[in-house]
Amino acid sequence: MIGITDEGELARALTNAIDDEFIFIDSPKKVYETKPEIVIHTLEDNSNNPSMWNLNTWFAINIAKAANKIGSLNVYFSTFMIYDGKRGYYSETSTPSPLNYYGMTKLVGETAIASLGNYLILRLGAVYSPSYRGILFHIIKALIKKGIAKCNTNLYLSPISVKDVAYAVKYLLKKDARGVINLAGKRFSEYDICKKFSDDYGGLIIPVEGKYFDFSLDNWLLRSFGLKIDGI
């Protein structure tokens, strides 16, 4: 049995990809009652500081403590936003330096869960789908609704689709993976991502030379497990 902490798009993709019984976990009490073998922390928030701290950090930690007490594996989704984007191609051993409050709450969450032991922390690249509200959502929305999108030639990301995240989690669980792993595709500029999206959705891409950030992730460790993700 696998516990998940919300019922959003990523959680649904996991239930579709993984052939196992899933249970919705909304409290430590539910963990003790159902005793899942694995708890996947899919719940997160990026709307305001109090909500981000309560959900990304405290809720996740409290659920993880309960899961750890009954011997469950904690799978926590972290983010490339634990870095500041100054260097890029971040590995699992790179020193975090969150650019914003969201990244800080995720970093605190993953640090606390790692301290418990028996964990798999997945630092996700830029997750996307036509409906997933991540950093790339505005591009897809603009192409579909307006037929035009402005894209930064100086912003670098490691994209990964929602479906690829779910597939990779399934694969890594079968491999009994543990520790911290970057879960992301290859490095692309936002402009290159836009061009690839336009092949599917149509529309005009306008290059914009914005501020330089490189949030790309080194996925060497992921590939060492035999899993290759192109990203788009």
Side-chain angles (χ1 to χ4, degrees):
M1 181 187 294
I2 299 176
I4 53 174
T5 56
D6 85 328
E7 298 174 312
E9 183 174 353
L10 190 52
R12 293 193 299 272
L14 289 166
T15 60
N16 289 332
I18 302 173
D19 186 19
D20 204 330
E21 180 183 356
F22 280 79
I23 184 85
F24 174 55
I25 299 293
D26 59 357
S27 67
K29 180 181 178 182
K30 192 68 173 286
V31 175
Y32 293 128
E33 289 176 348
T34 58
K35 294 179 171 57
E37 296 177 357
I38 301 169
V39 173
I40 304 179
H41 298 258
T42 51
L43 179 65
E44 70 167 24
D45 186 83
N46 61 5
S47 60
N48 59 74
N49 289 3
S51 183
M52 284 189 283
W53 182 256
N54 287 332
L55 297 180
N56 300 347
T57 308
W58 280 119
F59 177 81
I61 292 171
N62 288 330
I63 294 293
K65 285 181 177 179
N68 185 260
K69 286 183 179 179
I70 64 170
S72 304
L73 167 66
N74 278 299
V75 179
Y76 182 75
F77 289 130
S78 189
T79 172
F80 65 90
M81 293 301 294
I82 67 168
Y83 300 109
D84 56 19
K86 292 181 179 179
R87 184 173 64 83
Y89 207 58
Y90 296 102
S91 73
E92 289 79 2
T93 58
S94 297
T95 302
S97 178
L99 184 66
N100 57 25
Y101 194 79
Y102 168 76
M104 188 272 288
T105 62
K106 297 297 282 188
L107 177 60
V108 175
E110 72 165 65
T111 302
I113 290 173
S115 71
L116 299 171
N118 194 26
Y119 63 90
L120 175 60
I121 292 171
L122 300 172
R123 291 176 178 164
L124 302 181
V127 181
Y128 72 90
S129 80
S131 55
Y132 185 83
R133 293 184 175 275
I135 191 172
L136 297 173
F137 177 69
H138 72 285
I139 296 172
I140 298 175
K141 182 179 178 181
L143 288 174
I144 293 175
K145 288 195 171 185
K146 299 179 180 179
I148 188 171
K150 296 180 180 179
C151 303
N152 190 352
T153 58
N154 286 329
L155 172 61
Y156 293 89
L157 302 164
S158 294
I160 183 170
S161 71
V162 168
K163 288 185 178 180
D164 278 344
V165 171
Y167 170 76
V169 172
K170 175 182 178 180
Y171 185 91
L172 291 171
L173 289 177
K174 285 186 175 181
K175 292 288 187 178
D176 204 29
R178 296 291 188 275
V180 179
I181 299 176
N182 288 339
L183 183 49
K186 297 178 181 178
R187 178 181 182 269
F188 293 93
S189 71
E190 185 184 67
Y191 176 69
D192 288 332
I193 295 170
C194 284
K195 289 194 296 183
K196 289 182 178 292
F197 282 165
S198 69
D199 292 339
D200 290 331
Y201 304 114
L204 175 65
I205 305 301
I206 299 176
V208 176
E209 191 173 343
K211 189 173 181 179
Y212 176 85
F213 287 105
D214 190 341
F215 291 108
S216 60
L217 298 177
D218 179 358
N219 62 8
W220 174 88
L221 183 56
L222 182 69
R223 287 183 280 113
S224 74
F225 281 91
L227 185 58
K228 295 181 180 180
I229 295 175
D230 288 334
I232 303 177

